[in-house]
Amino acid sequence: MDMQLAPAPLVTDPRRRLILFFFLMTAMFMATLDNQIVSTALPTIVGEFGHLERFGWIGSAYLLSLSAVMPVYGKLGDLFGRKYVMMTAIAIFTVGSTVCGLAVSMNTLIAARVLQGLGGGGIMVSIFAVNADLFEPRERARYQSYSSLVLMASGAIGPVLGGTMSDLFGWRSIFLVNVPIGFIVLTGLAFMLPYRKPHRRPRIDYAGALLLALTATSIVLATDSSELFGSLISPQSIGIVAFGVVSAIAWVFVERRAPEPIVPLQLFRNSTFSLLLVISVMGGAIAIGMVNYLALFLQTTTGLSPSAAGLLFILLTGGIVCGSLSAGRIISTTGRYKPFAIASLTCSAIAFALMSQVHAGTPIAFIGAIMMLHGIGIGLAQQVPVIGVQNTAPARDVGAATGAVTLSRMGGASIAISIYGAIIASGLGKVGVAIPGVADIEQLTPKMMAALPEASRQAVADLYAAAFSPLFMTSCAIAILGLMAAIMLKPVQLPRAGKPMAQTPTTEAAE
């Protein structure tokens, strides 16, 4: 059995690597901030263009195209080299941002958001793949913990920044601000990132790319169908699910015969790769998918104002920061990531089990402690799936593996959001008693709730707490499924640069 060597870093000068990493993080911040920053500006946009019925498409169009192209960009980086593939993604995103800022109608804006997503998906995947070229596996663990902080920062300040910029400079500014940032990042990468040409003749799997894009698009559309089509089980939704299943089956048949498949199926023969994808799906479901529902839970069951509830999220974010930085440093030192996957999902499972027992009178400090525990859980394994698959995949398929794990996290989040929404709707739909002052409980805003009489407010809080209990138990079950996958991982140890892989699970993929 030949031992697979950890490839030497693309850039050896530490200062140059840090500058390049800064440019990469700037690009990531730009791409991830965009979907957060637009949320608070949506009412202003609808006020100018009208067409409230297309409101949902402004966010969905971006997520659709983003998800559809993620694995394709990963494979293109493997075939043509990461430098120019990433620069192309940033250029597309910058052009899309320009068109968004100059949009003259709702349809123009939605089309421009699709263009933005086509670039944003490439930025997200290419950044992790370029990191794999810049840093040896153990050092990469530390730097990718910083990447997770950028993701958290964009989620935390995006809505605030979007509202502030819309008020001061108009909603178009939230898109046009990306143009100078995009040019700066493009210039930096053009001059500082070396081009490593792959030693193979590029052959593009067009059929595989199209079928995978159609499958990913079907997942996002199906999970968004309650907003887009009015119901999760509408005829359009059922048709989309059926189309997605057919596309997925066709994709498997095509990939088995393609000379350069978008996601090589032999990667799935390594149990480590498959288990890490499961962990990524479950992680997306309990981390990304849960954020909005935690905010709704806090505002409806605790009586906190939106701003006060937002302060509790500092505890969640603080937990993520502590968990991520600690895990990054320890993985960098020990080279082992399995214990962090187990600890992460255990923390989240305990947190959701406790949350399911929270009632309307539970002390805020207790809820805050649970949120911090969940944040630590998210942070501990934030970078584990990406680091794990990059270490498991042979060097020629690192981009494809990165694209697959990034897409799986987004897919897990999309599916979970749909499931959580259905659980809450079902819980509130069973309300058989009329509450004085409440015409429709689902349309009750925090401001309206604060104006209710004490008895009515308590009744609403109790109803929401009861509706959220099965949601948190579902999240707990999802975390336990991820935990089972984490326990089944082989105890792989990350190699140092230029040294052979220490465990056979790592070498299996290279054979």
Side-chain angles (χ1 to χ4, degrees):
M1 182 185 293
D2 295 330
M3 297 296 279
Q4 183 186 348
L5 293 179
L10 182 63
V11 176
T12 54
D13 178 16
R15 183 180 297 177
R16 187 176 175 186
R17 271 192 292 169
L18 281 177
I19 295 170
L20 273 169
F21 185 72
F22 172 76
F23 282 126
L24 293 176
M25 292 302 97
T26 304
M28 173 180 274
F29 187 73
M30 180 175 70
T32 55
L33 182 71
D34 203 74
N35 218 37
Q36 304 291 340
I37 202 172
V38 79
S39 59
T40 43
L42 284 176
T44 311
I45 295 170
V46 171
E48 179 170 331
F49 289 146
H51 298 291
L52 180 61
E53 73 280 1
R54 296 181 206 163
F55 176 91
W57 283 104
I58 298 175
S60 297
Y62 185 75
L63 285 177
L64 276 172
S65 52
L66 182 99
S67 303
V69 298
M70 276 182 172
V72 179
Y73 272 105
K75 187 64 179 182
L76 290 176
D78 290 337
L79 290 174
F80 296 100
R82 313 212 197 281
K83 176 175 180 173
Y84 296 115
V85 169
M86 177 157 187
M87 289 178 65
T88 300
I90 293 170
I92 292 172
F93 183 85
T94 305
V95 171
S97 298
T98 306
V99 180
C100 283
L102 303 175
V104 294
S105 67
M106 184 66 86
N107 288 342
T108 314
L109 181 60
I110 291 170
R113 291 285 283 165
V114 170
L115 186 61
Q116 260 195 317
L118 294 176
I123 291 172
M124 294 298 297
V125 172
S126 298
I127 282 169
F128 289 120
V130 171
N131 273 348
D133 288 344
L134 287 177
F135 304 105
E136 54 94 6
R138 292 199 184 192
E139 192 180 16
R140 195 185 309 153
R142 189 167 81 251
Y143 280 94
Q144 291 198 167
S145 69
Y146 302 145
S147 305
S148 66
L149 297 187
V150 172
L151 289 170
M152 289 304 106
S154 65
I157 72 170
V160 178
L161 194 60
T164 304
M165 289 181 67
S166 294
D167 289 341
L168 294 178
F169 310 110
W171 66 265
R172 296 177 188 276
S173 64
I174 66 176
F175 297 112
L176 294 176
V177 73
N178 292 329
V179 178
I181 297 173
F183 275 117
I184 291 168
V185 174
L186 274 175
T187 305
L189 294 178
F191 286 104
M192 300 201 67
L193 183 65
Y195 174 60
R196 179 183 279 174
K197 186 176 181 181
H199 300 293
R200 68 216 253 198
R201 186 167 66 88
R203 286 181 289 183
I204 301 175
D205 175 20
Y206 292 104
L210 177 63
L211 287 167
L212 187 56
L214 290 174
T215 304
T217 301
S218 299
I219 291 171
V220 177
L221 274 177
T223 55
D224 236 5
S225 55
S226 58
E227 183 177 343
L228 299 175
F229 308 122
S231 170
L232 274 176
I233 53 172
S234 64
Q236 298 98 315
S237 177
I238 294 169
I240 287 167
V241 170
F243 180 75
V245 170
V246 171
S247 298
I249 294 170
W251 176 74
V252 172
F253 279 105
V254 167
E255 297 299 87
R256 291 173 66 180
R257 293 166 176 77
E260 284 285 2
I262 293 294
V263 180
L265 295 183
Q266 64 262 31
L267 289 173
F268 292 93
R269 293 176 191 158
N270 189 319
S271 62
T272 301
F273 179 82
S274 301
L275 290 169
L276 286 167
L277 281 190
V278 172
I279 291 169
S280 183
V281 169
M282 302 306 165
I286 61 176
I288 305 171
M290 182 51 72
V291 173
N292 290 338
Y293 290 95
L294 279 174
L296 178 65
F297 173 77
L298 290 173
Q299 291 178 41
T300 52
T301 58
T302 63
L304 292 175
S305 66
S307 55
L311 290 175
L312 270 185
F313 274 88
I314 295 174
L315 294 172
L316 180 75
T317 308
I320 293 170
V321 171
C322 293
S324 184
L325 290 180
S326 303
R329 289 185 178 279
I330 299 172
I331 293 172
S332 180
T333 304
T334 64
R336 298 192 180 276
Y337 56 78
K338 176 178 176 177
F340 294 93
I342 293 173
S344 163
L345 290 152
T346 301
C347 286
S348 290
I350 293 170
F352 286 125
L354 292 171
M355 277 295 238
S356 69
Q357 303 306 309
V358 168
H359 53 81
T362 302
I364 301 298
F366 181 68
I367 297 173
I370 297 174
M371 289 181 68
M372 178 171 261
L373 177 64
H374 177 45
I376 291 170
I378 296 171
L380 285 174
Q382 184 95 344
Q383 69 265 35
V384 163
V386 172
I387 293 169
V389 298
Q390 288 179 344
N391 184 59
T392 300
R396 60 180 276 126
D397 292 325
V398 163
T402 305
V405 80
T406 311
L407 176 63
S408 67
R409 188 170 174 82
M410 291 291 297
S414 296
I415 294 167
I417 287 169
S418 175
I419 293 171
Y420 298 157
I423 291 170
I424 291 296
S426 172
L428 296 179
K430 293 175 183 174
V431 177
V433 292
I435 299 172
V438 180
D440 185 351
I441 191 169
E442 292 186 48
Q443 294 182 359
L444 197 64
T445 65
K447 191 174 181 179
M448 291 162 62
M449 188 172 169
L452 291 173
E454 179 60 34
S456 297
R457 193 162 61 241
Q458 185 64 40
V460 170
D462 289 337
L463 284 172
Y464 266 103
F468 267 99
S469 185
L471 185 152
F472 290 132
M473 289 306 297
T474 302
S475 296
C476 180
I478 291 170
I480 290 171
L481 286 175
L483 177 60
M484 291 167 62
I487 292 170
M488 292 165 67
L489 282 172
K490 294 174 183 174
V492 175
Q493 186 167 20
L494 299 174
R496 297 191 183 278
K499 293 188 178 180
M501 304 293 192
Q503 295 284 335
T504 54
T506 323
T507 59
E508 287 170 5
E511 292 180 343

